Amino acid sequence: MDIEIINIAANTYNNKEIKKFTHKSKYKNTICGDQIEIRLIVRKKKIIDFGYQSKSCIYCQASASLLSNLSMNKSLTKINELINLVLSYFVEKNIVISKEWKKIEKIVNKKNVSRKECILLPFKSLRKAIQN
């Protein structure tokens, strides 16, 4: 396992429960049993606060940590672009990640393809939260 993934997962700043949220979703990976709940505060179509809680593997935890940090103060439109990019990354061959989202390559990369469902779980949950 890559030490960088462990370090990303260790950043638990946004691993918290937000009580007065505007958006929420809970998602479970039926393959491995990982679970995540995401709660957001969205104002003027922008993510102001992002809290997640999970019972999951290190890959899912790292993905949630990175996603929560990247999402702060971003518009829902931008976040949807990121989600669509990441969800298609493991399927399409020539996906290029823009400079704005380069940090995501620390976990979303071809060497982690065997753990893609764990990595994608927070993205799927976030998509569900902002669509509701």
Side-chain angles (χ1 to χ4, degrees):
M1 179 177 308
D2 190 339
I3 191 75
E4 190 167 25
I5 290 173
I6 295 169
N7 290 335
I8 293 167
N11 178 355
T12 58
Y13 181 77
N14 292 317
N15 186 353
K16 61 188 177 186
E17 181 179 0
I18 297 174
K19 301 240 185 243
K20 294 183 179 183
F21 55 88
T22 60
H23 295 68
K24 172 186 167 184
S25 74
K26 197 171 194 177
Y27 219 84
K28 183 175 183 175
N29 183 340
T30 56
I31 296 170
C32 69
D34 283 355
Q35 298 177 60
I36 190 164
E37 182 174 322
I38 292 177
R39 294 181 180 190
L40 307 170
I41 297 176
V42 177
R43 292 207 176 95
K44 297 182 181 178
K45 297 186 179 185
K46 192 181 220 182
I47 296 176
I48 304 301
D49 201 2
F50 187 123
Y52 68 91
Q53 294 182 306
S54 70
K55 294 178 183 172
S56 61
C57 71
I58 196 86
Y59 288 91
C60 184
Q61 291 171 31
S63 181
S65 176
L66 200 52
L67 178 59
S68 67
N69 289 324
L70 286 171
S71 298
M72 297 298 284
N73 298 310
K74 294 284 193 299
S75 72
L76 296 181
T77 302
K78 281 287 187 189
I79 294 306
N80 269 319
E81 289 173 12
L82 173 63
I83 292 168
N84 291 335
L85 173 76
V86 170
L87 292 178
S88 62
Y89 181 83
F90 291 108
V91 179
E92 298 179 26
K93 293 189 186 251
N94 298 322
I95 298 290
V96 177
I97 297 178
S98 69
K99 187 177 178 181
E100 179 179 16
W101 306 117
K102 265 312 189 205
K103 287 183 182 178
I104 208 72
E105 285 185 318
K106 293 177 182 178
I107 188 135
V108 177
N109 58 58
K110 302 294 183 191
K111 72 179 182 180
N112 294 328
V113 70
S114 65
R115 300 308 295 264
K116 76 176 184 178
E117 292 305 319
C118 302
I119 293 166
L120 296 178
L121 189 67
F123 290 90
K124 291 176 180 179
S125 186
L126 180 56
R127 178 176 60 184
K128 183 178 171 185
I130 62 179
Q131 287 177 347
N132 293 334

